[in-house]
């Protein structure tokens, strides 16, 4: 079974949300079977900054769902969007 790299855009509730706290929660709460690959920030507009999360999971049914559920439950997260999925060789 291969591995999949998933890219997720995480939008905070407001420009005042502590992005570092969200990142720290993600790092410490990655579900079993998911590995953090990279996190970066992307300016959106009017001071709002999105977190771009890349993580690796096994290529199987429901691979990214545990990470999606974990991130959605973090206080200060307004929405998430999967922006890319690619198989690793």
């Amino acid at each position: 079974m291969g591995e999949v790299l998933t890219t997720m855009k995480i939008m905070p509730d407001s420009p005042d949300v502590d992005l570092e706290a969200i990142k720290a929660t993600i790092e410490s709460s990655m579900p079993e079977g998911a590995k953090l690959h990279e996190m970066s920030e992307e300016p959106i507009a009017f001071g709002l900054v999105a977190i771009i999360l890349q993580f690796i999971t096994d290529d199987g049914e429901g691979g990214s769902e545990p990470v999606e559920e974990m991130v959605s439950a973090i206080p200060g997260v307004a929405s998430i969007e999967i922006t890319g999925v690619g198989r690793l060789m």
Side-chain angles (χ1 to χ4, degrees):
M1 187 178 289
E3 292 183 317
V4 175
L5 176 70
T6 303
T7 303
M8 176 188 294
K9 181 184 261 187
I10 304 164
M11 296 297 294
D13 286 336
S14 74
D16 302 324
V17 171
D18 184 0
L19 295 181
E20 294 306 316
I22 293 174
K23 288 183 194 179
T25 303
I26 291 170
E27 288 177 6
S28 65
S29 302
M30 286 300 281
E32 187 176 327
K35 296 181 286 189
L36 176 65
H37 179 66
E38 185 178 339
M39 267 194 285
S40 59
E41 295 181 3
E42 178 183 304
I44 303 298
F46 307 109
L48 192 62
V49 178
I51 297 171
I52 306 300
L53 170 65
Q54 292 185 326
F55 59 94
I56 299 170
T57 56
D58 287 331
D59 184 14
E61 188 173 330
S64 68
E65 287 180 15
V67 178
E68 292 176 46
E69 292 170 4
M70 178 270 297
V71 172
S72 294
I74 297 172
V77 172
S79 67
I80 62 167
E81 176 185 1
I82 301 296
T83 58
V85 177
R87 190 165 197 182
L88 297 176
M89 296 293 191

